[in-house]
Amino acid sequence: PYGACANGLRTLGPCSDLKICVGRSTTTFTKVQQLFAARFIVAMDSSTVALQGLASGECNAVASDSSGLSFENIRRVGLYAGAYEIGDKLYSKEPLASVVRQDDPVFASFV
């Protein structure tokens, strides 16, 4: 139920014990602070540590950018193997871009 709580910005009733882990020094953290009261936010040292908070039960939701929450990424990092869902709402649009060295034209053309 907590995915629906966070996705719908709900914090009352069954959502009153929502705890969202989020990396402290991220733009996602700033956005979560704008959307939720401080009592619902668990600030972590990084987005990876935020995923560990979900695995340990310290929180019941995680906020991150889309790439950090992909099924492949979470399974690849091996931090959480339980069932989970990814919300369908984006509350910010952070530009992600690849950067390559100038002396590697093969990789640059691949990217």
Side-chain angles (χ1 to χ4, degrees), residues 19-40:
K19 293 289 182 198
I20 305 168
C21 282
V22 59
R24 181 177 288 115
S25 297
T26 63
T27 55
T28 304
F29 181 72
T30 303
K31 190 63 178 182
V32 170
Q33 285 182 306
Q34 294 169 356
L35 297 171
F36 293 94
R39 72 176 184 271
F40 299 106

Side-chain angles (χ1 to χ4, degrees), residues 26-68:
T26 63
T27 55
T28 304
F29 181 72
T30 303
K31 190 63 178 182
V32 170
Q33 285 182 306
Q34 294 169 356
L35 297 171
F36 293 94
R39 72 176 184 271
F40 299 106
I41 301 170
V42 181
M44 307 298 268
D45 288 337
S46 69
S47 295
T48 301
V49 176
L51 287 172
Q52 290 172 337
L54 179 66
S56 72
E58 188 171 352
C59 56
N60 45 36
V62 174
S64 184
D65 60 64
S66 298
S67 62

Side-chain angles (χ1 to χ4, degrees), residues 42-109:
V42 181
M44 307 298 268
D45 288 337
S46 69
S47 295
T48 301
V49 176
L51 287 172
Q52 290 172 337
L54 179 66
S56 72
E58 188 171 352
C59 56
N60 45 36
V62 174
S64 184
D65 60 64
S66 298
S67 62
L69 293 178
S70 71
F71 288 111
E72 296 81 16
N73 187 49
I74 291 175
R75 300 281 190 241
R76 180 183 54 79
V77 216
L79 296 176
Y80 185 71
Y84 68 97
E85 61 186 348
I86 296 177
D88 61 355
K89 296 199 173 142
L90 297 176
Y91 292 100
S92 70
K93 295 179 181 173
E94 302 301 322
L96 297 176
S98 299
V99 176
V100 297
R101 296 177 2 182
Q102 289 181 337
D103 64 347
D104 193 351
V106 174
F107 185 71
S109 65

